[in-house]
Amino acid sequence: MTPTAPTISELIAQERRLTLPHFGHDDAYALGGLLVSMARQRHAPVAIDIRRGAQQLFHAALPGSSADNDDWIDRKRKVVERYGESSYLVGTRFRAKGTTFEDSSRLDPGVYAAHGGSFPIAVEGAGVIGSVTVSGLPQAEDHALVVEALERFAATLAA
């Protein structure tokens, strides 16, 4: 089932709601494992990347994914790093203005992609410290998979 496109206010609310109390190496492994499990259950041909700062803490490439997905991951992640917001939110903001990120951002689309699937990892009191990115599905589905995994992961931290 294809998720409906969230509004700007819904995307902002997701980011506020999904601020974590902490995030380290073990957390990246747990979140990455959760994403792999969810993707396998859905037979989703995705690649997954989790970063804290410049360090890659987790990467997985599931059957059906390719090196192209890693390129998309890099470009979507760079949008999160530059804007401090999800790649989907950044692209949605441009579309709401009647334009596209590619036409109006003045950034190289070979380096940046404001397509859904990369989400900031924000920690209480520290702000955005990294990103979690999925590539291989349509952008709304990439984004929804990341958000669902973060919601499940955040619930385990709160328990």
Side-chain angles (χ1 to χ4, degrees), residues 19 23 25 31 33 39 59 65 70 73 77-79 81 87 96 119 132 139 143 150:
T19 296
F23 195 82
H25 290 77
L31 177 59
H59 184 273
S65 66
D70 291 326
I73 282 171
R77 175 181 46 79
K78 287 183 179 170
V79 168
E81 290 170 352
S87 55
F119 200 92
V132 53
Q139 68 172 333
H143 178 83
L150 278 168

Side-chain angles (χ1 to χ4, degrees), residues 55-68:
Q55 185 180 19
Q56 183 179 52
L57 300 181
F58 185 92
H59 184 273
L62 299 184
S65 66
S66 72
D68 285 343

Side-chain angles (χ1 to χ4, degrees), residues 8 90-104:
I8 290 172
V90 172
T92 300
R93 286 186 196 278
F94 279 91
R95 288 187 294 279
K97 294 176 186 173
T99 186
T100 65
F101 178 83
E102 295 78 10
D103 289 339
S104 298

Side-chain angles (χ1 to χ4, degrees), residues 8-137:
I8 290 172
S9 60
E10 289 169 334
L11 292 166
I12 291 169
Q14 287 173 348
E15 291 184 20
R16 287 187 181 141
R17 185 176 74 249
L18 294 170
T19 296
L20 305 173
H22 57 79
F23 195 82
H25 290 77
D26 292 338
D27 297 314
Y29 186 78
L31 177 59
L34 176 60
L35 272 163
V36 167
S37 176
M38 291 170 63
R40 284 190 185 282
Q41 288 172 353
R42 299 164 194 202
H43 305 287
V46 299
I48 301 161
D49 178 84
I50 301 176
R51 306 244 174 177
R52 188 175 68 185
Q55 185 180 19
Q56 183 179 52
L57 300 181
F58 185 92
H59 184 273
L62 299 184
S65 66
S66 72
D68 285 343
N69 297 117
D70 291 326
D71 180 61
W72 275 99
I73 282 171
D74 287 342
R75 294 185 304 129
K76 291 191 277 188
R77 175 181 46 79
K78 287 183 179 170
V79 168
V80 171
E81 290 170 352
R82 184 171 184 111
Y83 289 86
E85 299 176 322
S86 75
S87 55
Y88 202 32
L89 174 56
V90 172
T92 300
R93 286 186 196 278
F94 279 91
R95 288 187 294 279
K97 294 176 186 173
T99 186
T100 65
F101 178 83
E102 295 78 10
D103 289 339
S104 298
S105 71
R106 296 182 296 163
L107 297 172
D108 182 350
V111 177
Y112 297 91
H115 293 261
S118 191
F119 200 92
I121 296 173
V123 172
E124 294 168 9
V128 175
I129 57 100
S131 62
V132 53
T133 310
V134 168
S135 175
L137 303 170

